[in-house]
Amino acid sequence: KSHPSSATTRAITTIPLSHLLFGIVVLRRYLLLQHLSALIIMASFSFEHTHGPSISQCTETSAVIWYRDDQGVDTPPQITYWPAATITHTKLSYDSGRKSSTSVTVQVDPHADFTSTTTLSNLTPNTVYKFEVGNQQGSFKTPGSAACSFVFGSCVGGQGYGRNAPGHEDGEGFPIFEKMMNLQPDFFVHNGDSIYADDTIQAESDNPWNEGARFITQNGVSVMPVCSDLESMRDRYKYHLEDPALSNFLSRCPVYASWDDHEVMDNFGQELMQHSGLGKLCDDGRRAFLDYWPIEKAEEEPTRMYRSFTWGPHVEMFILDSRSYRDVHELRGDDKTPTMEFILGEAQLKWLLQGLSSSKSTWKFVASSIPLSYPTGWPTPEVDGYDGWSDGKWDNVGGPEKELLKIFEHIRDHDIQNVIFLSGDVHYPYAISYDPFKSGKPLIYELAATPFHALCLPPPPEGPDNTFNPTVLFSDGTFGGKLFNFGEVSIDDDGDFAFHIRDRKGSSIFDLQLRPAISVKGEQQAGRGNAFVTQTSDVLPLRQTKESTVFTAH
């Protein structure tokens, strides 16, 4: 090599040492930052959180965590969980936290849109657990105490009501789920219409009922179109789960979800869609639902959605599927309105009746996504057929009401006490007692909370179908109003029951208190005492209400 010229040498040697050292430091920091940035990018790529977690299928010793990670196939994430507090009658004991943590690897399924369900085992009853997966945290409490509470409702994201845009007076996104979380319920029953696959969502609505309202849309598009295939249905679930209020709620409260019609299309039934050449759309809707909600799979029918679970000694929940097995509407005899003959089908009906008979729980809840007596099937049920249990004919047991009559007869004939139906679908809240055999006391109650976040509707002025002798305790709603709502149920150690319908602010707009009954056959199925007590009030607590009506147990 040739030697540098003396001029170059002089130029180099005249650089101050302090400047040279400063340059070296800057260069080292630059290279270090570049290296760290690469590591951060790699870590984000390997453990990118996309959706979830959510919790379901809690027992005294296990729970299931749902989670989606679109990079989790190459680098499976871990769920780390530990007991945070154990609750007894006398004290609240705190655990040592992470020192007693357990980790389990998540198995992401690329064929299920990179979702996963992971079972946490060997849990302790009546204990609060915390967990981490990816960069997300969550918590839940295992069953084990007699007292418990839960929330329920249906219908979110329909008729153009997407996630509220920033600056909305009620809050961004789906703010009602924050109000539900504030109550710290033990679990959540989502009673259908968890997405509206058959509706569009506009960034700025031009619907007459919410014209000008602004909503967050997926990827900032002006209009989110109707879902037409599996991928677009999955995308709609992602859109919902990207809402912070909903996502936070599902990561801290076990959810038990059922579908209704809008997960696929309005008023659908599986057999009808198969006959109409829309079988693939129905299959896509079912698959997307099962991908994005943690449903315990039955060995004999892996895609079955009807199921039951217990929570402590006082609660058994029977979750119905009102879509998969229903009859096709047909004109029968001289009828001008097509009707169905059944909704549940033979196998599901048998399962429900056997479950009600064998239940040892104080309260038997039946989650039906459709109403028992309010006619439904918008927009023209008198032409297309009614969508719920009512056949639209007063004082007449017809259509699927014959199936409902079998349920009521079974409850009466087997002296099954304390049965409450939980309904949704109609976009207005209500509470009804039923005395179908005119014995002078309620046989069952029906409580409905709907919608979470969709077009609000008024109850029909003619009231419910009177075939099963309903008494309306409460109903409310106006077209295009703001009565977004949910139901809250609390049961104390003794089995006493309190129900609230709460509005979008979390305030109670209707209260109902019930004391459990016992069987006249001498077998105590429900709590203590010998009376079925109904109490309603606005704000007063149990046994101090303004009105109290006592029904002797039968």
Side-chain angles (χ1 to χ4, degrees):
K1 293 181 180 179
S2 60
H3 294 283
S5 66
S6 59
T8 304
T9 303
R10 285 194 301 270
I12 293 176
T13 56
T14 56
I15 298 175
L17 181 60
S18 60
H19 288 193
L20 185 60
L21 292 175
F22 176 76
I24 293 172
V25 170
V26 169
L27 179 61
R28 289 184 62 184
R29 286 182 177 178
Y30 171 78
L31 293 174
L32 179 61
L33 286 173
Q34 290 291 96
H35 179 65
L36 289 175
S37 298
L39 290 177
I40 291 169
I41 292 170
M42 290 171 61
S44 299
F45 180 80
S46 299
F47 296 100
E48 181 181 1
H49 159 253
T50 53
H51 300 89
S54 61
I55 312 146
S56 189
Q57 301 173 39
C58 273
T59 71
E60 293 187 350
T61 58
S62 65
V64 170
I65 306 298
W66 178 96
Y67 185 68
R68 182 177 185 274
D69 183 344
D70 58 11
Q71 305 299 328
V73 174
D74 297 328
T75 310
Q78 296 268 318
I79 296 178
T80 300
Y81 60 99
W82 62 94
T86 300
I87 306 164
T88 67
H89 287 293
T90 57
K91 64 179 180 178
L92 182 66
S93 303
Y94 290 93
D95 196 88
S96 56
R98 291 178 173 275
K99 293 180 181 178
S100 56
S101 66
T102 304
S103 294
V104 59
T105 300
V106 174
Q107 301 296 326
V108 173
D109 185 356
H111 302 293
D113 203 20
F114 303 96
T115 62
S116 64
T117 54
T118 305
T119 300
L120 312 185
S121 304
N122 301 317
L123 306 182
T124 302
N126 205 30
T127 298
V128 176
Y129 282 86
K130 291 185 177 181
F131 67 92
E132 288 184 349
V133 54
N135 58 357
Q136 299 297 302
Q137 296 182 337
S139 62
F140 61 91
K141 184 175 79 71
T142 52
S145 62
C148 70
S149 69
F150 66 89
V151 291
F152 73 95
S154 69
C155 307
V156 58
Q159 295 77 46
Y161 283 86
R163 290 156 46 199
N164 292 341
H168 192 281
E169 61 178 343
D170 293 334
E172 186 176 333
F174 298 138
I176 198 167
F177 292 104
E178 181 181 350
K179 306 303 183 292
M180 295 164 70
M181 184 67 255
N182 289 343
L183 297 174
Q184 297 184 328
D186 290 305
F187 62 90
F188 165 43
V189 176
H190 200 315
N191 217 0
D193 292 339
S194 57
I195 64 168
Y196 278 70
D198 54 343
D199 273 352
T200 62
I201 296 176
Q202 300 172 308
E204 184 170 341
S205 174
D206 62 7
N207 295 313
W209 50 83
N210 64 352
E211 188 172 5
R214 294 173 56 249
F215 301 103
I216 298 169
T217 57
Q218 208 159 30
N219 301 320
V221 299
S222 58
V223 180
M224 293 171 57
V226 167
C227 303
S228 57
D229 56 21
L230 176 61
E231 290 309 310
S232 57
M233 289 175 172
R234 285 169 167 171
D235 284 345
R236 190 62 65 92
Y237 284 105
K238 294 171 194 171
Y239 168 77
H240 280 226
L241 291 174
E242 285 158 7
D243 175 57
L246 176 57
S247 181
N248 180 61
F249 179 47
L250 295 179
S251 70
R252 287 164 173 79
C253 181
V255 58
Y256 298 85
S258 123
W259 71 349
D260 194 35
D261 52 342
H262 291 287
E263 283 84 359
V264 180
M265 65 181 299
D266 196 24
N267 300 332
F268 94 92
Q270 179 168 295
E271 187 174 353
L272 174 63
M273 295 196 71
Q274 297 288 351
H275 289 175
S276 304
L278 296 171
K280 185 178 185 305
L281 185 66
C282 183
D283 293 342
D284 287 345
R286 178 185 296 274
R287 183 173 175 183
F289 180 88
L290 293 173
D291 284 345
Y292 276 82
W293 290 110
I295 307 292
E296 186 174 11
K297 293 178 172 58
E299 291 184 7
E300 65 276 17
E301 190 180 355
T303 61
R304 192 178 89 183
M305 295 188 194
Y306 67 86
R307 60 205 190 278
S308 66
F309 67 92
T310 59
W311 197 284
H314 292 316
V315 172
E316 182 159 10
M317 185 73 61
F318 298 89
I319 299 176
L320 303 183
D321 178 355
S322 67
R323 296 292 160 185
S324 298
Y325 312 99
R326 62 167 50 202
D327 194 14
V328 176
H329 286 86
E330 293 180 357
L331 288 172
R332 307 173 196 272
D334 297 328
D335 289 343
K336 296 181 180 180
T337 298
T339 60
M340 302 177 284
E341 288 294 293
F342 54 84
I343 286 176
L344 299 182
E346 183 178 353
Q348 186 176 190
L349 177 61
K350 181 180 179 181
W351 164 86
L352 175 62
L353 299 183
Q354 289 179 343
L356 290 172
S357 293
S358 61
S359 178
K360 302 300 181 184
S361 297
T362 305
W363 297 95
K364 278 71 70 175
F365 295 93
V366 182
S368 168
S369 65
I370 52 175
L372 304 187
S373 59
Y374 272 117
T376 183
W378 183 89
T380 54
E382 65 281 355
V383 175
D384 303 316
Y386 289 86
D387 186 58
W389 297 94
S390 170
D391 66 350
K393 298 178 181 178
W394 270 232
D395 294 312
N396 172 71
V397 179
E401 290 173 335
K402 292 180 285 187
E403 195 175 47
L404 194 57
L405 178 60
K406 291 180 182 179
I407 297 173
F408 291 161
E409 289 176 335
H410 184 84
I411 291 171
R412 177 197 62 187
D413 296 345
H414 290 78
D415 195 26
I416 301 170
Q417 302 292 335
N418 313 313
V419 178
I420 295 180
F421 280 73
L422 307 176
S423 300
D425 182 67
V426 292
H427 292 222
Y428 52 84
Y430 62 87
I432 298 176
S433 66
Y434 292 86
D435 180 14
F437 308 111
K438 299 184 178 179
S439 65
K441 51 189 174 290
L443 179 73
I444 63 105
Y445 286 81
E446 180 188 13
L447 309 175
T450 172
F452 288 139
H453 192 89
L455 175 64
C456 295
L457 298 174
E462 65 273 18
D465 184 333
N466 69 352
T467 297
F468 294 115
N469 195 24
T471 297
V472 178
L473 306 176
F474 172 84
S475 66
D476 196 11
T478 57
F479 183 86
K482 294 185 177 181
L483 191 51
F484 305 144
N485 64 90
F486 63 94
E488 180 200 12
V489 171
S490 300
I491 299 173
D492 66 18
D493 287 331
D494 295 322
D496 286 340
F497 167 104
F499 167 67
H500 303 274
I501 296 175
R502 297 190 179 275
D503 63 17
R504 72 187 197 281
K505 302 293 187 181
S507 300
S508 178
I509 58 174
F510 172 75
D511 301 338
L512 174 69
Q513 288 82 36
L514 301 174
R515 185 180 303 157
I518 59 174
S519 168
V520 296
K521 295 178 181 178
E523 180 179 333
Q524 184 163 331
Q525 292 187 348
R528 70 195 188 296
N530 59 3
F532 197 169
V533 179
T534 306
Q535 299 172 303
T536 60
S537 74
D538 294 329
V539 294
L540 297 178
L542 189 64
R543 297 190 188 84
Q544 298 179 23
T545 58
K546 299 173 184 176
E547 299 178 0
S548 177
T549 306
V550 178
F551 301 97
T552 304
H554 64 284

